[in-house]
Amino acid sequence: MKPDLKGLHMLHGGDYNPDQWLDMPEILEQDIEYMKKAGVNCVSVGIFAWAALEPEEGVYNLGWLVDIVGKLYENGIYSILATPSAARPAWMAQKYPEVLRVSADLTRNLMGARHNHCYTSPVYRQKIYEINLRLSKELGGHPGVILWHLSNEYGGECFCPLCQEEFRVWVREKYKTLEALNKAWWATFWSHNYTDWSQVEAPVPKGETGVHGLNLDWKRFVTDRTISFMRHEIAAVRAGGSDLPVTANLMTFYNGLNYFKFKDELDIVSWDAYPQWHGTGGDVEAAVAAACYHDIMRSIKNMPFLLMESTPSMTNWQPVSKLKKPGMHELSSLQAVAHGSDSVQYFQWRKSRGSSEKFHGAAVSHDCRSDTRVFRDVARVGKRLKGLGGLCGSLPEAKAAIFFDWENRWALGDSAGPRNCGIRYEETVIAHYRAFWEMGIPVDFIDMECQLDNYDLVIAPMLYMYRAGIEEKLKTFVERGGVLVGTYLQGLVDQSDLCFLGETPHGLSDVYGLRYEEIDSLYDGEENSLDWNGKTYAVTELCERVHLTSAEPLAVYGSDFYAGEPVLSVNSFGRGEAYYIAARTQQCFLCDFYRMLAEKMSLERALDAQLPAGVTASRRVSDKTVAVLQNFNNAPVTVLLYSPVEDYETGEPFYDEVRLQPYEVRFLIAK
Ligand code: GLA
Ligand code: ZN
């Protein structure tokens, strides 16, 4: 299922800000000439253009944008039309200070930067409604417009009195009685009982920060408020008569919003990817994290997504802004496609002359030339995307799923112990994912509200909070023959962040065949160990002591007072099995463990081949299964094939091996 983007295949283009160049028509002309040269078929316009669209209150000037969208269309270039809410004009901030955000120190921001608006302010909502309505009326029906780009990277929070009042309403609707509220927030602790709804305040450093239930509900509220604002934006474009699909560009591992809640609001998920290529961690580490997030984004709607931003060369905000080495632009762009993107879009088409992003990478630089290395890289991606249109709409059909649950993430981040110097939820999820990346086995991500029916293997790293009836879902999943892998910090708190009483993992101790007793925390550099399958592996940071009831021990701790106690176990339950990893292990253990499991379960790999280090394969399945073989080494590699394939783009056959150049990516189909 995929919204029809006017039949377009594989979008290629990026953020385009003609409003910065309206007094230089020769630049606008050159843009179109160069876009055609680079195989650009789609640009995002109007993202930060509110001041140009409404230069004075109530004075609208959409003509320039209508002209540009028209010219682009005449030249075969479609537009993704943005709503301009991410940056407000100065006149508005000056006349209506309530549109500006209040920070956690409870002072109101001055006019400045972007993403600096209150999501509740009736004035801001009214102003954005009016401009969106006009944009929709003028351009929503234009044949050159294919998609709405809602705002830009929704994010942040506002602590103004209006937002705080909305929070009180939200809390009251949720809990109905103060008694229920006090129970859920465990308010008797430190005598924080609420005796009137008006006492409820957002968590801020100079006020309350220690009530975990409050912190969690505030985060939920911020997501809901943002969605409420987004719905308001959508309502305006619908009122203007446009029924085009909507997207919002999401951010890498952004903690502030539960993106799974956007699933039913957005027609298409899109995101902005800026991996730190050639950084100190190495390209493989960056590739695994990027792949993981591509898969998370695809999983939100279980639909292809759009890569809405990426840099054609460097960013200007990373600590060290490195150029992409030859080959990396093509590889990183097609990596997104490999994981389910139906586009490669850039920030930005052309570098601005001034302000904070003037040195951020772009297809066209200040020299205004198209015979540059970066431009050629961009044009090559354009050319390849043309041949890959057949992949649009296809998915990897993963049989394994890993939990990445925002609410669990929030609760873990706020757990206060056992390891405040690094609980590392995201890194742990990535570490489990990496084992599959190395094998080239497709993976989906799920949160606790998702269904598990499509999977054979479900992995629950540090699933500390159990909510949304996950106990029942996991129990049924294993009973019916599914394989579950859980780790330490499993099922300890409920949806209000209250610790479960009795046996944990809550409701699943019979499924795991064990009972948790306590967890030890290790200093950096401190180690325990486990022996498994003839090898010794280090164990670090977090070590649980568990008692096996029906599970079989597979490995025990090597040292400390709990030496000899189980650290890895498996339990048969119904027709399935549940593994439990009681301690934090190193990457090599996870890779070996999941390799064993993948073989035992016959999990299908994207490509029937032996993948060398730094090389992965992912796949997109439609009438054909296309495997995408990616070499993240800055060196050539040889991949040994177990069955013959041919190149999807060139038809070249390969029987025993495929050679890949440094950073090369190939699309392959079975021969
Ligand atoms: C974000 C924003 C863009 C731009 C880029 C720079 O993703 O959405 O407007 O600032 O970062 O990398
Ligand atoms: Zn506010």
Side-chain angles (χ1 to χ4, degrees), residues 98 100-102 108 118-121 158-164:
E98 73 161 58
L100 295 171
R101 224 167 249 193
V102 168
R108 196 174 291 280
C118 170
Y119 288 125
T120 301
S121 154
C158 176
F159 296 86
C160 80
L162 295 168
C163 285
Q164 300 244 16

Short mmCIF file of all heavy atoms in Angstrom, two decimals, residues 98 100-102 108 118-121 158-164, ligand 2:
data_model
loop_
_atom_site.label_atom_id
_atom_site.label_comp_id
_atom_site.label_asym_id
_atom_site.label_seq_id
_atom_site.Cartn_x
_atom_site.Cartn_y
_atom_site.Cartn_z
N GLU A 98 3.07 35.54 22.43
CA GLU A 98 2.63 34.19 22.86
C GLU A 98 2.98 33.11 21.85
O GLU A 98 2.95 31.93 22.18
CB GLU A 98 1.12 34.17 23.12
CG GLU A 98 0.28 34.23 21.85
CD GLU A 98 -1.17 33.74 22.06
OE1 GLU A 98 -1.86 34.33 22.90
OE2 GLU A 98 -1.58 32.79 21.34
N LEU A 100 5.85 32.60 20.71
CA LEU A 100 7.20 32.12 21.01
C LEU A 100 7.17 31.11 22.15
O LEU A 100 6.33 31.16 23.04
CB LEU A 100 8.11 33.30 21.38
CG LEU A 100 8.35 34.30 20.25
CD1 LEU A 100 9.06 35.54 20.77
CD2 LEU A 100 9.16 33.65 19.13
N ARG A 101 8.15 30.26 22.11
CA ARG A 101 8.20 29.16 23.06
C ARG A 101 8.71 29.62 24.43
O ARG A 101 9.54 30.52 24.52
CB ARG A 101 9.17 28.13 22.52
CG ARG A 101 8.68 26.74 22.62
CD ARG A 101 9.55 25.85 21.78
NE ARG A 101 8.78 25.35 20.63
CZ ARG A 101 9.18 24.37 19.85
NH1 ARG A 101 10.35 23.79 20.06
NH2 ARG A 101 8.44 23.97 18.85
N VAL A 102 8.26 28.95 25.48
CA VAL A 102 8.82 29.15 26.82
C VAL A 102 9.68 27.92 27.13
O VAL A 102 9.23 26.79 26.98
CB VAL A 102 7.68 29.33 27.86
CG1 VAL A 102 8.22 29.25 29.28
CG2 VAL A 102 6.97 30.66 27.63
N ARG A 108 10.38 33.14 28.50
CA ARG A 108 9.97 33.08 27.11
C ARG A 108 11.15 33.41 26.20
O ARG A 108 11.90 34.36 26.45
CB ARG A 108 8.81 34.06 26.84
CG ARG A 108 8.09 33.76 25.53
CD ARG A 108 6.86 34.62 25.34
NE ARG A 108 5.76 34.31 26.24
CZ ARG A 108 4.90 33.30 26.09
NH1 ARG A 108 5.01 32.48 25.07
NH2 ARG A 108 3.92 33.11 26.95
N CYS A 118 5.12 28.02 20.05
CA CYS A 118 4.26 27.29 20.97
C CYS A 118 3.25 26.50 20.14
O CYS A 118 2.63 27.04 19.23
CB CYS A 118 3.55 28.30 21.87
SG CYS A 118 2.27 27.54 22.84
N TYR A 119 3.08 25.23 20.47
CA TYR A 119 2.12 24.40 19.73
C TYR A 119 0.68 24.64 20.16
O TYR A 119 -0.25 24.11 19.57
CB TYR A 119 2.45 22.91 19.93
CG TYR A 119 3.70 22.45 19.21
CD1 TYR A 119 4.74 21.83 19.89
CD2 TYR A 119 3.82 22.64 17.84
CE1 TYR A 119 5.88 21.40 19.23
CE2 TYR A 119 4.94 22.22 17.16
CZ TYR A 119 5.98 21.60 17.86
OH TYR A 119 7.09 21.18 17.20
N THR A 120 0.53 25.37 21.26
CA THR A 120 -0.82 25.58 21.79
C THR A 120 -1.37 26.95 21.43
O THR A 120 -2.58 27.10 21.21
CB THR A 120 -0.79 25.42 23.33
OG1 THR A 120 -0.32 24.10 23.63
CG2 THR A 120 -2.17 25.60 23.94
N SER A 121 -0.51 27.94 21.35
CA SER A 121 -0.94 29.33 21.14
C SER A 121 -2.06 29.44 20.10
O SER A 121 -1.87 29.09 18.93
CB SER A 121 0.27 30.15 20.68
OG SER A 121 -0.18 31.26 19.93
N CYS A 158 7.21 23.17 24.86
CA CYS A 158 6.94 24.54 25.31
C CYS A 158 6.33 24.47 26.71
O CYS A 158 5.44 23.65 26.95
CB CYS A 158 5.99 25.22 24.33
SG CYS A 158 5.51 26.87 24.86
N PHE A 159 6.84 25.32 27.59
CA PHE A 159 6.39 25.29 28.99
C PHE A 159 5.56 26.53 29.34
O PHE A 159 5.49 26.93 30.49
CB PHE A 159 7.60 25.18 29.92
CG PHE A 159 8.37 23.90 29.75
CD1 PHE A 159 9.37 23.78 28.78
CD2 PHE A 159 8.09 22.80 30.55
CE1 PHE A 159 10.07 22.60 28.62
CE2 PHE A 159 8.79 21.61 30.38
CZ PHE A 159 9.78 21.51 29.42
N CYS A 160 4.96 27.15 28.33
CA CYS A 160 4.22 28.39 28.59
C CYS A 160 2.94 28.08 29.37
O CYS A 160 2.52 26.92 29.47
CB CYS A 160 3.88 29.07 27.26
SG CYS A 160 2.46 28.35 26.41
N PRO A 161 2.32 29.10 29.95
CA PRO A 161 1.10 28.85 30.72
C PRO A 161 0.00 28.16 29.91
O PRO A 161 -0.74 27.32 30.44
CB PRO A 161 0.67 30.27 31.14
CG PRO A 161 1.92 31.08 31.10
CD PRO A 161 2.77 30.49 30.02
N LEU A 162 -0.09 28.46 28.62
CA LEU A 162 -1.12 27.82 27.79
C LEU A 162 -0.86 26.31 27.67
O LEU A 162 -1.78 25.50 27.77
CB LEU A 162 -1.14 28.44 26.39
CG LEU A 162 -1.54 29.92 26.30
CD1 LEU A 162 -1.24 30.48 24.92
CD2 LEU A 162 -3.02 30.09 26.65
N CYS A 163 0.40 25.96 27.44
CA CYS A 163 0.74 24.53 27.32
C CYS A 163 0.54 23.84 28.67
O CYS A 163 0.06 22.70 28.72
CB CYS A 163 2.17 24.36 26.83
SG CYS A 163 2.35 24.73 25.07
N GLN A 164 0.90 24.52 29.74
CA GLN A 164 0.74 23.89 31.07
C GLN A 164 -0.74 23.66 31.37
O GLN A 164 -1.10 22.66 31.97
CB GLN A 164 1.36 24.80 32.14
CG GLN A 164 2.84 25.05 31.91
CD GLN A 164 3.72 24.49 33.03
OE1 GLN A 164 3.28 23.68 33.82
NE2 GLN A 164 4.96 24.93 33.06
ZN ZN B 2 3.23 26.88 24.80
#
